[in-house]
Amino acid sequence: MDRRVIPSPMDTVFEFDYAVQAEDMRSLYEKAKRDQWNASRDIAWDTPEPSDGRTLADELVDIYGSPIWNKLSEKERVELNQRITAWRLSVLVYGEQGAMLACSQLVDTVSGTDQKFFQATQVMDEARHNEVLERYIATRLNGLHYPMPENERVLFDSILSDSRWYIKTIALQLVAETFAVSMFKMMAECAHDPLLQEVCRRILQDESRHMGFGMLALPEVIREASPAEHREMEDFTCVAIEKVLTGFFPVDAYRDMGFSAAQIREVQAYRRDVAARNDYAVFRKYFKRDMHAAMVSNLARIGLLTERVRPRLAALGIELPSAA
Ligand SMILES: [Fe+2]
Ligand SMILES: [Fe+2]
Protein backbone atom coordinates (compact mmCIF):
# COMPACT_ATOMS: atom_id res chain seq x y z
CA MET A 1 0.00 0.00 0.00
CA ASP A 2 1.84 3.09 -1.20
CA ARG A 3 -0.81 5.65 -0.40
CA ARG A 4 -4.25 6.11 1.03
CA VAL A 5 -6.76 8.69 -0.21
CA ILE A 6 -9.20 10.17 2.31
CA PRO A 7 -11.95 12.52 1.09
CA SER A 8 -12.24 15.67 3.21
CA PRO A 9 -14.64 18.54 2.52
CA MET A 10 -13.40 21.56 4.44
CA ASP A 11 -13.67 25.31 4.50
CA THR A 12 -10.44 27.23 4.04
CA VAL A 13 -10.34 30.44 6.07
CA PHE A 14 -8.28 33.30 4.62
CA GLU A 15 -7.26 35.71 7.41
CA PHE A 16 -6.67 39.40 6.71
CA ASP A 17 -5.90 40.60 10.23
CA TYR A 18 -2.26 39.80 10.93
CA ALA A 19 -1.94 41.61 14.24
CA VAL A 20 -1.22 39.54 17.35
CA GLN A 21 -4.55 38.52 18.88
CA ALA A 22 -3.55 35.56 21.04
CA GLU A 23 -0.26 36.34 22.74
CA ASP A 24 0.27 32.88 24.23
CA MET A 25 -0.25 31.30 20.83
CA ARG A 26 2.14 33.78 19.19
CA SER A 27 4.83 33.03 21.76
CA LEU A 28 4.40 29.30 21.11
CA TYR A 29 5.00 30.13 17.44
CA GLU A 30 8.15 32.09 18.39
CA LYS A 31 9.43 29.09 20.39
CA ALA A 32 8.70 26.80 17.46
CA LYS A 33 10.79 28.93 15.10
CA ARG A 34 13.61 29.25 17.63
CA ASP A 35 13.82 25.54 18.43
CA GLN A 36 13.80 23.97 14.97
CA TRP A 37 16.38 21.22 14.65
CA ASN A 38 17.52 19.42 11.57
CA ALA A 39 17.83 15.64 11.37
CA SER A 40 20.51 15.96 8.68
CA ARG A 41 22.70 18.20 10.81
CA ASP A 42 21.85 17.66 14.48
CA ILE A 43 21.67 13.88 14.86
CA ALA A 44 24.87 11.84 15.24
CA TRP A 45 24.05 9.22 12.61
CA ASP A 46 27.57 7.79 12.92
CA THR A 47 26.95 6.69 16.55
CA PRO A 48 28.20 3.08 16.75
CA GLU A 49 25.51 0.40 16.99
CA PRO A 50 25.14 -1.42 20.33
CA SER A 51 27.46 -4.43 20.26
CA ASP A 52 24.67 -6.85 21.24
CA GLY A 53 22.47 -5.80 18.28
CA ARG A 54 19.51 -4.64 20.38
CA THR A 55 17.72 -1.38 19.64
CA LEU A 56 15.17 -1.24 22.48
CA ALA A 57 15.51 -2.53 26.02
CA ASP A 58 14.36 -6.18 26.05
CA GLU A 59 11.78 -5.24 28.68
CA LEU A 60 9.82 -3.47 25.92
CA VAL A 61 9.28 -6.79 24.17
CA ASP A 62 5.89 -8.06 25.40
CA ILE A 63 7.02 -11.56 26.15
CA TYR A 64 10.22 -10.59 27.96
CA GLY A 65 10.68 -12.92 30.93
CA SER A 66 7.91 -15.32 29.87
CA PRO A 67 8.41 -19.07 29.33
CA ILE A 68 8.31 -18.44 25.54
CA TRP A 69 11.04 -15.81 25.84
CA ASN A 70 13.16 -18.08 27.99
CA LYS A 71 13.12 -20.73 25.25
CA LEU A 72 14.43 -18.34 22.56
CA SER A 73 18.10 -18.39 21.59
CA GLU A 74 20.18 -15.20 21.92
CA LYS A 75 20.01 -14.75 18.13
CA GLU A 76 16.21 -15.02 18.17
CA ARG A 77 15.94 -12.54 21.04
CA VAL A 78 17.97 -9.98 19.11
CA GLU A 79 15.85 -10.54 16.01
CA LEU A 80 12.61 -10.20 17.98
CA ASN A 81 13.95 -7.07 19.69
CA GLN A 82 14.64 -5.51 16.28
CA ARG A 83 11.31 -6.57 14.81
CA ILE A 84 9.39 -5.12 17.76
CA THR A 85 11.36 -1.88 17.40
CA ALA A 86 10.51 -1.79 13.69
CA TRP A 87 6.85 -2.41 14.50
CA ARG A 88 6.73 0.32 17.17
CA LEU A 89 8.55 2.82 14.96
CA SER A 90 6.34 1.98 11.96
CA VAL A 91 3.29 2.86 14.09
CA LEU A 92 4.95 6.11 15.11
CA VAL A 93 5.95 6.98 11.53
CA TYR A 94 2.31 6.62 10.42
CA GLY A 95 1.34 8.81 13.36
CA GLU A 96 3.83 11.50 12.35
CA GLN A 97 2.61 11.46 8.75
CA GLY A 98 -1.01 11.61 9.94
CA ALA A 99 -0.14 14.50 12.26
CA MET A 100 1.52 16.39 9.41
CA LEU A 101 -1.60 15.95 7.24
CA ALA A 102 -3.99 16.93 10.04
CA CYS A 103 -1.96 20.06 10.83
CA SER A 104 -1.86 21.06 7.18
CA GLN A 105 -5.67 20.92 7.28
CA LEU A 106 -5.62 22.96 10.50
CA VAL A 107 -3.62 25.69 8.76
CA ASP A 108 -6.58 25.93 6.37
CA THR A 109 -9.53 25.62 8.67
CA VAL A 110 -8.51 27.26 11.93
CA SER A 111 -9.38 30.94 12.44
CA GLY A 112 -6.81 33.46 13.64
CA THR A 113 -3.41 34.32 12.26
CA ASP A 114 -1.58 33.27 15.46
CA GLN A 115 -3.20 29.82 15.27
CA LYS A 116 -2.43 29.49 11.57
CA PHE A 117 1.21 30.51 12.05
CA PHE A 118 1.65 27.99 14.84
CA GLN A 119 0.03 25.21 12.84
CA ALA A 120 2.34 25.98 9.94
CA THR A 121 5.29 25.26 12.27
CA GLN A 122 3.69 22.02 13.42
CA VAL A 123 3.36 20.86 9.82
CA MET A 124 7.13 21.31 9.52
CA ASP A 125 7.79 19.65 12.89
CA GLU A 126 5.77 16.57 11.97
CA ALA A 127 7.49 16.35 8.58
CA ARG A 128 10.84 16.30 10.41
CA HIS A 129 9.58 13.62 12.81
CA ASN A 130 8.36 11.51 9.91
CA GLU A 131 11.75 11.99 8.24
CA VAL A 132 13.94 11.27 11.26
CA LEU A 133 12.11 8.09 12.31
CA GLU A 134 12.11 6.83 8.76
CA ARG A 135 15.82 7.53 8.56
CA TYR A 136 16.41 5.59 11.77
CA ILE A 137 14.50 2.62 10.35
CA ALA A 138 16.58 2.78 7.16
CA THR A 139 19.88 3.18 9.07
CA ARG A 140 19.45 0.64 11.85
CA LEU A 141 16.66 -1.73 10.86
CA ASN A 142 17.31 -2.36 7.16
CA GLY A 143 14.20 -0.40 6.23
CA LEU A 144 11.90 -2.92 7.91
CA HIS A 145 8.30 -1.64 8.16
CA TYR A 146 5.08 -3.14 9.44
CA PRO A 147 1.56 -2.28 8.22
CA MET A 148 -0.59 0.38 9.83
CA PRO A 149 -2.66 -1.07 12.67
CA GLU A 150 -6.43 -0.96 12.16
CA ASN A 151 -7.05 1.27 15.20
CA GLU A 152 -4.56 3.84 13.99
CA ARG A 153 -6.09 3.85 10.50
CA VAL A 154 -9.60 4.34 11.88
CA LEU A 155 -8.43 7.13 14.16
CA PHE A 156 -6.64 9.06 11.41
CA ASP A 157 -9.49 8.52 8.96
CA SER A 158 -11.83 10.17 11.43
CA ILE A 159 -9.39 13.02 12.18
CA LEU A 160 -8.70 13.74 8.53
CA SER A 161 -12.25 13.46 7.22
CA ASP A 162 -13.97 15.61 9.87
CA SER A 163 -14.28 19.22 8.79
CA ARG A 164 -14.18 20.76 12.30
CA TRP A 165 -10.81 21.96 13.58
CA TYR A 166 -11.57 21.23 17.24
CA ILE A 167 -12.41 17.59 16.50
CA LYS A 168 -9.01 17.22 14.81
CA THR A 169 -7.31 19.00 17.71
CA ILE A 170 -9.02 16.88 20.37
CA ALA A 171 -7.85 13.68 18.70
CA LEU A 172 -4.41 14.87 17.65
CA GLN A 173 -2.99 17.53 19.95
CA LEU A 174 -4.91 16.43 23.01
CA VAL A 175 -5.21 12.63 22.94
CA ALA A 176 -2.57 11.36 20.50
CA GLU A 177 0.13 13.82 21.54
CA THR A 178 -0.43 13.34 25.27
CA PHE A 179 0.19 9.68 24.55
CA ALA A 180 3.16 10.48 22.29
CA VAL A 181 4.88 12.68 24.87
CA SER A 182 4.87 9.85 27.45
CA MET A 183 5.88 7.29 24.83
CA PHE A 184 8.84 9.32 23.52
CA LYS A 185 9.88 10.10 27.09
CA MET A 186 9.99 6.41 27.88
CA MET A 187 11.86 5.59 24.67
CA ALA A 188 14.32 8.45 25.19
CA GLU A 189 15.21 6.87 28.51
CA CYS A 190 14.96 3.20 27.67
CA ALA A 191 16.09 2.75 24.11
CA HIS A 192 19.11 0.48 24.11
CA ASP A 193 20.61 2.20 21.08
CA PRO A 194 21.93 5.69 22.01
CA LEU A 195 21.04 6.88 18.50
CA LEU A 196 17.38 6.02 19.10
CA GLN A 197 17.52 7.80 22.45
CA GLU A 198 18.79 10.90 20.71
CA VAL A 199 16.09 10.74 18.02
CA CYS A 200 13.37 10.39 20.67
CA ARG A 201 14.78 13.24 22.78
CA ARG A 202 14.74 15.52 19.75
CA ILE A 203 11.16 14.65 18.86
CA LEU A 204 10.13 15.17 22.46
CA GLN A 205 11.37 18.76 22.37
CA ASP A 206 8.63 19.53 19.84
CA GLU A 207 5.78 17.39 21.14
CA SER A 208 5.06 19.34 24.32
CA ARG A 209 4.66 22.47 22.17
CA HIS A 210 2.10 20.65 20.08
CA MET A 211 0.18 19.59 23.15
CA GLY A 212 0.35 23.28 24.16
CA PHE A 213 -1.64 24.23 21.07
CA GLY A 214 -4.55 22.08 22.24
CA MET A 215 -4.33 23.45 25.77
CA LEU A 216 -4.49 27.02 24.45
CA ALA A 217 -7.01 26.58 21.66
CA LEU A 218 -9.58 24.16 23.09
CA PRO A 219 -10.92 25.67 26.37
CA GLU A 220 -12.85 28.46 24.66
CA VAL A 221 -14.57 26.28 22.08
CA ILE A 222 -15.43 23.72 24.77
CA ARG A 223 -16.81 26.43 27.08
CA GLU A 224 -18.99 27.84 24.35
CA ALA A 225 -20.27 24.53 23.00
CA SER A 226 -24.00 23.72 23.17
CA PRO A 227 -24.89 20.69 25.35
CA ALA A 228 -25.18 18.53 22.23
CA GLU A 229 -21.81 19.71 20.89
CA HIS A 230 -20.26 19.18 24.31
CA ARG A 231 -21.50 15.59 24.38
CA GLU A 232 -20.11 15.02 20.90
CA MET A 233 -16.70 16.31 22.00
CA GLU A 234 -16.78 14.06 25.06
CA ASP A 235 -17.70 11.04 22.97
CA PHE A 236 -15.05 11.78 20.38
CA THR A 237 -12.44 12.20 23.14
CA CYS A 238 -13.33 8.83 24.64
CA VAL A 239 -13.28 7.06 21.29
CA ALA A 240 -9.88 8.58 20.49
CA ILE A 241 -8.49 7.49 23.88
CA GLU A 242 -9.89 3.99 23.40
CA LYS A 243 -8.28 3.78 19.96
CA VAL A 244 -4.92 5.00 21.25
CA LEU A 245 -4.86 2.70 24.28
CA THR A 246 -6.25 -0.55 22.94
CA GLY A 247 -5.93 -2.95 20.07
CA PHE A 248 -2.24 -2.60 19.31
CA PHE A 249 -0.50 -5.94 19.00
CA PRO A 250 2.55 -6.62 16.79
CA VAL A 251 1.16 -9.86 15.39
CA ASP A 252 3.15 -9.53 12.14
CA ALA A 253 6.43 -9.27 14.03
CA TYR A 254 5.73 -12.57 15.80
CA ARG A 255 4.57 -14.17 12.56
CA ASP A 256 7.81 -13.11 10.85
CA MET A 257 9.72 -14.75 13.69
CA GLY A 258 8.08 -18.01 12.65
CA PHE A 259 5.74 -18.22 15.67
CA SER A 260 2.80 -20.58 15.06
CA ALA A 261 -0.83 -19.50 15.58
CA ALA A 262 -0.82 -21.37 18.89
CA GLN A 263 2.37 -19.63 20.03
CA ILE A 264 0.90 -16.24 19.08
CA ARG A 265 -2.18 -17.03 21.18
CA GLU A 266 0.19 -17.89 24.03
CA VAL A 267 1.92 -14.51 23.59
CA GLN A 268 -1.45 -12.73 23.68
CA ALA A 269 -2.53 -14.63 26.79
CA TYR A 270 0.75 -13.73 28.48
CA ARG A 271 0.24 -10.05 27.59
CA ARG A 272 -3.28 -10.05 29.01
CA ASP A 273 -2.04 -11.70 32.15
CA VAL A 274 0.77 -9.16 32.64
CA ALA A 275 -1.68 -6.31 32.01
CA ALA A 276 -4.18 -7.72 34.51
CA ARG A 277 -1.47 -7.96 37.17
CA ASN A 278 0.15 -4.66 36.04
CA ASP A 279 3.34 -6.62 36.27
CA TYR A 280 5.39 -4.51 33.85
CA ALA A 281 9.02 -3.51 34.10
CA VAL A 282 9.44 -0.38 36.22
CA PHE A 283 9.76 2.02 33.32
CA ARG A 284 6.67 0.64 31.58
CA LYS A 285 4.72 1.08 34.78
CA TYR A 286 6.02 4.61 35.01
CA PHE A 287 5.04 5.28 31.39
CA LYS A 288 1.49 4.10 32.03
CA ARG A 289 1.14 6.16 35.18
CA ASP A 290 2.71 9.23 33.58
CA MET A 291 0.50 8.99 30.49
CA HIS A 292 -2.71 8.35 32.42
CA ALA A 293 -1.98 11.24 34.81
CA ALA A 294 -1.18 13.60 31.91
CA MET A 295 -4.35 12.57 30.05
CA VAL A 296 -6.52 13.15 33.12
CA SER A 297 -4.95 16.50 33.99
CA ASN A 298 -5.14 17.75 30.38
CA LEU A 299 -8.81 16.75 30.10
CA ALA A 300 -9.52 18.48 33.41
CA ARG A 301 -7.73 21.66 32.29
CA ILE A 302 -9.76 22.04 29.12
CA GLY A 303 -13.10 21.09 30.67
CA LEU A 304 -13.63 17.61 29.27
CA LEU A 305 -13.23 15.51 32.42
CA THR A 306 -16.99 15.32 32.92
CA GLU A 307 -19.27 12.83 34.63
CA ARG A 308 -19.94 11.22 31.26
CA VAL A 309 -16.22 10.85 30.51
CA ARG A 310 -14.97 9.63 33.90
CA PRO A 311 -16.54 6.13 33.88
CA ARG A 312 -15.32 5.52 30.34
CA LEU A 313 -11.76 6.37 31.38
CA ALA A 314 -12.10 4.18 34.46
CA ALA A 315 -13.23 1.31 32.22
CA LEU A 316 -9.92 1.67 30.36
CA GLY A 317 -8.01 1.28 33.63
CA ILE A 318 -7.20 4.98 33.95
CA GLU A 319 -7.01 6.10 37.56
CA LEU A 320 -9.04 9.19 38.38
CA PRO A 321 -8.84 11.58 41.27
CA SER A 322 -12.16 11.78 43.16
CA ALA A 323 -14.70 14.16 41.62
CA ALA A 324 -15.00 16.33 44.76
FE1 LIG B 1 5.43 14.38 15.94
FE1 LIG C 1 3.46 16.31 17.39
Side-chain angles (χ1 to χ4, degrees):
M1 188 174 71
D2 289 335
R3 57 180 61 87
R4 177 173 179 76
V5 180
I6 303 160
S8 59
M10 275 182 312
D11 289 342
T12 293
V13 181
F14 206 124
E15 280 292 347
F16 296 112
D17 183 352
Y18 308 124
V20 178
Q21 307 268 351
E23 272 181 34
D24 290 348
M25 193 64 79
R26 190 62 75 109
S27 76
L28 211 52
Y29 169 65
E30 285 298 329
K31 284 195 190 101
K33 286 187 294 175
R34 185 193 65 196
D35 295 342
Q36 294 281 307
W37 49 273
N38 180 349
S40 303
R41 184 194 58 208
D42 300 323
I43 302 274
W45 294 104
D46 55 358
T47 303
E49 288 190 50
S51 54
D52 64 5
R54 286 163 167 82
T55 39
L56 284 177
D58 276 342
E59 286 88 340
L60 282 174
V61 179
D62 301 292
I63 56 167
Y64 173 75
S66 69
I68 325 167
W69 172 266
N70 293 337
K71 275 185 237 151
L72 296 178
S73 67
E74 167 66 8
K75 192 164 160 276
E76 287 168 325
R77 288 177 188 175
V78 171
E79 184 186 339
L80 181 59
N81 184 302
Q82 291 182 352
R83 288 191 180 280
I84 295 291
T85 310
W87 181 85
R88 281 180 181 270
L89 294 184
S90 299
V91 173
L92 290 170
V93 167
Y94 299 127
E96 302 296 356
Q97 168 85 199
M100 179 183 78
L101 299 175
C103 292
S104 77
Q105 293 181 332
L106 284 171
V107 174
D108 267 13
T109 59
V110 88
S111 294
T113 298
D114 306 307
Q115 288 78 357
K116 283 184 186 294
F117 282 2
F118 179 76
Q119 278 310 304
T121 68
Q122 192 175 345
V123 172
M124 183 57 180
D125 288 350
E126 305 299 3
R128 291 183 297 106
H129 298 175
N130 192 154
E131 175 209 349
V132 73
L133 288 174
E134 187 61 27
R135 202 153 158 178
Y136 181 86
I137 292 175
T139 308
R140 289 293 212 240
L141 298 163
N142 295 318
L144 177 62
H145 289 86
Y146 281 102
M148 192 173 193
E150 173 73 6
N151 266 9
E152 190 175 27
R153 188 186 60 69
V154 171
L155 180 64
F156 275 106
D157 280 9
S158 68
I159 294 175
L160 293 168
S161 58
D162 200 296
S163 59
R164 295 160 298 177
W165 74 265
Y166 56 85
I167 290 289
K168 297 177 196 297
T169 293
I170 284 174
L172 182 71
Q173 281 102 342
L174 175 66
V175 174
E177 303 209 281
T178 300
F179 176 81
V181 164
S182 296
M183 170 63 77
F184 282 117
K185 241 194 251 173
M186 176 177 73
M187 296 203 357
E189 279 164 31
C190 307
H192 191 64
D193 180 359
L195 177 59
L196 185 54
Q197 289 185 5
E198 192 187 349
V199 165
C200 292
R201 266 198 292 271
R202 284 290 186 179
I203 292 175
L204 201 50
Q205 288 175 3
D206 302 330
E207 292 300 351
S208 44
R209 231 170 28 234
H210 302 166
M211 216 163 70
F213 174 84
M215 293 297 109
L216 290 178
L218 286 171
E220 189 184 342
V221 70
I222 292 170
R223 223 175 20 245
E224 289 171 3
S226 69
E229 286 168 339
H230 206 282
R231 275 196 301 278
E232 194 189 3
M233 289 179 196
E234 291 168 346
D235 291 339
F236 192 75
T237 303
C238 292
V239 169
I241 294 175
E242 281 153 13
K243 292 272 176 267
V244 165
L245 294 189
T246 57
F248 286 87
F249 175 62
V251 65
D252 302 296
Y254 289 103
R255 247 183 232 139
D256 288 351
M257 285 293 296
F259 279 40
S260 67
Q263 283 172 313
I264 290 175
R265 278 197 298 277
E266 199 183 331
V267 170
Q268 286 172 310
Y270 183 77
R271 268 167 56 105
R272 275 196 298 274
D273 187 42
V274 168
R277 286 184 284 119
N278 195 23
D279 189 18
Y280 297 108
V282 174
F283 58 79
R284 285 185 86 166
K285 264 189 204 158
Y286 177 77
F287 157 70
K288 213 172 129 187
R289 256 206 321 269
D290 180 55
M291 190 254 298
H292 288 181
M295 199 73 85
V296 167
S297 96
N298 288 346
L299 289 176
R301 269 174 64 190
I302 60 165
L304 279 178
L305 191 63
T306 62
E307 287 314 308
R308 290 182 73 241
V309 168
R310 296 173 68 94
R312 291 175 72 172
L313 298 187
L316 287 164
I318 297 177
E319 262 183 56
L320 295 155
S322 64

